[in-house]
Amino acid sequence: RWLVLRFLAVGAVLSLILAFSLPVRFTSQAELMPPDPQMFASTSLLNNIGTTGLFASPFSGSLLNNKTPGETAIGVLSSATAQDDIIKKLDLMQVFHAKFHSDARAQLEGRSAFMEDKKTGIVTISVSDRDRYLAYKIANAYVLELGQLVNSLSTSSARRERIFLEGRLASIKQELDTASVALSRFSSRNATFDPQKQ
């Protein structure tokens, strides 16, 4: 009995010492609804996002079609583009004492975790660090970065749609003008009405 009690006491003391010697880490979490799937239907911007983790660059249509909006959002957040923007905005090269961007990315990935709730589609962003304020800043930066990338996708998609419609209108106008000239020539040869005058 005394031997067992002694082992238990020593184990309890060692556990307490280990618990107090480990550095305290704070976790900041952000929950967000993934963007509309149609936002990711366009690959104009996604093709320029080099990713690590869920997706390989460039994005292909099949990959996007087989992923939920939450998984796509996590892929965007895990991309080198998003990570580099966050590293630059928060000056994490200096904070992490990293010489290379790859080292800073590795440290950022080690502090970050993303999870999707399959039932609700809500994406949870978790960032852990010894500095509670840094953890909060990084988690908030992920949210802002996703918003900026989605806005860029939306703007790019609207711009491409406008260019397509303008080109289609110009093509139709040219076809109508050609048809009108042809009808005018036919009318002048056959003494019928002139559409230009009428």
Side-chain angles (χ1 to χ4, degrees):
R1 290 179 182 177
W2 286 107
L3 185 60
V4 172
L5 289 175
R6 189 175 298 174
F7 275 119
L8 290 175
V10 171
V13 171
L14 289 177
S15 298
L16 287 173
I17 293 174
L18 183 62
F20 284 108
S21 63
L22 290 175
V24 178
R25 296 186 70 86
F26 300 93
T27 300
S28 180
Q29 285 190 341
E31 294 183 349
L32 51 90
M33 287 296 296
D36 186 4
Q38 293 181 353
M39 289 291 186
F40 295 123
S42 167
T43 59
S44 61
L45 177 65
L46 295 178
N47 283 333
N48 297 325
I49 301 177
T51 61
T52 57
L54 287 181
F55 301 110
S57 179
F59 282 84
S60 65
S62 60
L63 279 176
L64 287 174
N65 293 334
N66 293 333
K67 298 295 180 182
T68 65
E71 289 173 328
T72 306
I74 291 174
V76 172
L77 290 173
S78 303
S79 69
T81 300
Q83 291 175 349
D84 288 344
D85 286 345
I86 292 172
I87 290 170
K88 183 178 180 180
K89 290 175 182 176
L90 300 181
D91 196 18
L92 296 182
M93 291 282 292
Q94 183 175 356
V95 173
F96 294 156
H97 305 288
K99 293 183 179 180
F100 306 102
H101 261 83
S102 57
D103 297 334
R105 278 196 216 110
Q107 292 199 47
L108 182 60
E109 288 177 3
R111 288 166 167 80
S112 308
F114 309 102
M115 184 180 65
E116 180 196 16
D117 188 328
K118 298 298 183 181
K119 293 182 179 180
T120 62
I122 293 176
V123 175
T124 301
I125 303 170
S126 301
V127 180
S128 299
D129 195 85
R130 296 180 185 179
D131 185 347
R132 68 178 73 182
Y133 300 107
L134 180 61
Y136 161 75
K137 288 179 180 178
I138 294 175
N140 191 51
Y142 273 120
V143 176
L144 295 176
E145 187 67 23
L146 181 61
Q148 290 177 359
L149 291 175
V150 168
N151 288 337
S152 297
L153 272 175
S154 179
T155 303
S156 176
S157 178
R159 180 174 177 273
R160 274 201 335 280
E161 185 176 351
R162 179 176 56 82
I163 291 173
F164 169 77
L165 290 176
E166 288 176 352
R168 192 76 184 107
L169 286 173
S171 175
I172 292 173
K173 184 178 182 302
Q174 184 177 1
E175 291 174 3
L176 286 174
D177 290 342
T178 302
S180 178
V181 170
L183 182 59
S184 178
R185 290 175 181 171
F186 175 82
S187 299
S188 63
R189 285 198 305 266
N190 296 282
T192 58
F193 76 95
D194 188 349
Q196 298 288 348
K197 294 179 180 179
Q198 296 298 327

